[in-house]
Amino acid sequence: MTREALAELAATVWDDGNEHFPPTTWAVSNIHGGTGALNVIDTNDFSTYNGLELQLTRRASRGLLMQLSYTLAKSLDTRSFDPAFSTAVRTTSATNASPSAVNTPFDLRDRSQNYGRSDFDRRHALQGYVVYDLPFGRNRQFFGDAGGVVNQIIGGWEVASSLILQSGRPFTVYSGAFTVSNAVLSPADCNGCSPGMGSVVQENGTNFIFTAEQRALFSTPAPGQLGNTGRNFFTGPNFFNLDMTVRKRFGFGEKRNLELRADINNLTNTPSFEFPISTTSGIASSTFGRIRDSVNSNSRRIQLGVKLNF
């Protein structure tokens, strides 16, 4: 292409932009300068989503309020992040599943090779909450005629709880080799592996996503071949969190009360583990499949509070 043709292409305005984006133009790199970049925004990616949503709600009645929601879903795509905000990671030592590494096309001419579960896909998601004003004390269902000290002890109690239970997000196991392109590592081959393979296991006190026998099933694909596992083939650990609040009110007349409360985060102190820390560094790594103590949940926390309402 001649210099004049390149100049004409670079000067072409493809649209007028809008309030959020400037006009679209071409940025042409200098191929003789040694360095340069060409950012291309295309529309070659595609995605599908299918889901079922169920919700059970109890409106506040007799002191009880609750809601439970469940989603069964499957999201598939060729790329889960806006490519304008990613840059290909050209290294075999990447130790995290960054948007740029996971969403770089294996082959620009065939996006279907990247077609798999979306990075944010969770097959099952259950969420709910409950608030219950316990039916004890004066003018309540039980001990309704209680008075004085007895009412101050058994009345005015309220408990609340919230629950999140989700299946894990998908991740890719890389071979550690550039068998198809020099822009992104190829997924690993795995002999007899299924998408459901893998769960948190301990070896000598260290957490792994695969057992030693399962890790031995992985291998590097042949030159020019992608691994048979593909993008986002495996599923990471589940996420579970249960919070609880206990509140007690001491009444003083009709308009004043003293409120004591305890907020407990992660009531069961259950760890929800992150992805393996070395899935993108390749199956030959000595730490391949290792989770160790990487978590995306907090340890149990208890917060106490006192409030005077008047």
Side-chain angles (χ1 to χ4, degrees):
M1 184 176 289
T2 65
R3 179 178 302 179
E4 291 76 13
L6 287 174
E8 180 181 355
L9 180 61
T12 301
V13 178
W14 300 89
D15 59 51
D16 297 326
N18 54 39
E19 59 180 326
H20 303 291
F21 299 98
T24 301
T25 59
W26 281 89
V28 181
S29 62
N30 179 7
I31 61 175
H32 299 294
T35 60
L38 176 64
N39 293 326
V40 178
I41 300 178
D42 58 32
T43 57
N44 293 322
D45 292 303
F46 50 92
S47 63
T48 59
Y49 175 84
N50 293 283
L52 170 67
E53 296 182 0
L54 302 175
Q55 181 171 292
L56 176 64
T57 302
R58 174 190 169 97
R59 297 180 178 179
S61 175
R62 297 183 179 180
L64 178 62
L65 168 68
M66 63 178 295
Q67 179 173 295
L68 187 65
S69 302
Y70 169 73
T71 301
L72 171 65
K74 186 175 184 179
S75 179
L76 302 171
D77 60 26
T78 56
R79 178 157 42 185
S80 298
F81 287 84
D82 187 342
F85 299 105
S86 63
T87 304
V89 176
R90 302 171 185 269
T91 175
T92 58
S93 61
T95 56
N96 56 53
S98 64
S100 56
V102 175
N103 292 283
T104 300
F106 297 125
D107 186 344
L108 288 173
R109 300 160 298 182
D110 185 7
R111 298 295 178 87
S112 64
Q113 293 186 7
N114 282 71
Y115 192 63
R117 294 175 59 191
S118 302
D119 297 348
F120 50 81
D121 179 59
R122 293 187 187 272
R123 190 58 44 84
H124 305 280
L126 180 69
Q127 300 186 45
Y129 67 84
V130 59
V131 180
Y132 190 30
D133 190 1
L134 300 184
F136 304 109
R138 184 181 303 164
N139 301 323
R140 305 307 301 273
Q141 183 177 359
F142 302 101
F143 304 99
D145 57 351
V149 176
V150 175
N151 182 66
Q152 292 286 15
I153 295 175
I154 66 174
W157 287 94
E158 181 181 271
V159 294
S161 183
S162 62
L163 168 71
I164 299 177
L165 176 58
Q166 299 174 330
S167 54
R169 294 186 295 114
F171 66 92
T172 305
V173 172
Y174 289 95
S175 63
F178 296 96
T179 61
V180 174
S181 75
N182 65 349
V184 62
L185 296 172
S186 300
D189 272 335
C190 195
N191 183 23
C193 297
S194 66
M197 187 183 83
S199 60
V200 180
V201 295
Q202 280 200 348
E203 292 183 13
N204 300 320
T206 301
N207 293 316
F208 284 81
I209 192 67
F210 302 120
T211 65
E213 292 77 12
Q214 291 172 337
R215 297 198 298 273
L217 300 175
F218 290 92
S219 61
T220 301
Q225 300 293 321
L226 283 174
N228 61 11
T229 55
R231 169 177 171 259
N232 286 343
F233 186 80
F234 297 99
T235 301
N238 296 336
F239 180 86
F240 173 81
N241 186 74
L242 179 65
D243 296 335
M244 186 175 184
T245 295
V246 179
R247 181 164 55 186
K248 174 70 171 78
R249 292 192 182 97
F250 297 90
F252 303 100
E254 297 182 357
K255 298 183 179 180
R256 293 177 299 172
N257 65 77
L258 180 67
E259 179 182 301
L260 306 179
R261 63 182 297 161
D263 297 308
I264 309 173
N265 300 113
N266 195 359
L267 176 67
T268 59
N269 203 31
T270 302
S272 295
F273 291 97
E274 270 283 8
F275 288 138
I277 62 176
S278 296
T279 54
T280 57
S281 63
I283 57 177
S285 170
S286 60
T287 58
F288 165 62
R290 188 180 72 185
I291 297 177
R292 209 166 190 174
D293 57 355
S294 179
V295 297
N296 57 12
S297 60
N298 296 317
S299 59
R300 182 191 296 122
R301 296 180 180 178
I302 302 176
Q303 177 177 297
L304 304 178
V306 180
K307 182 168 62 175
L308 177 63
N309 301 306
F310 56 90

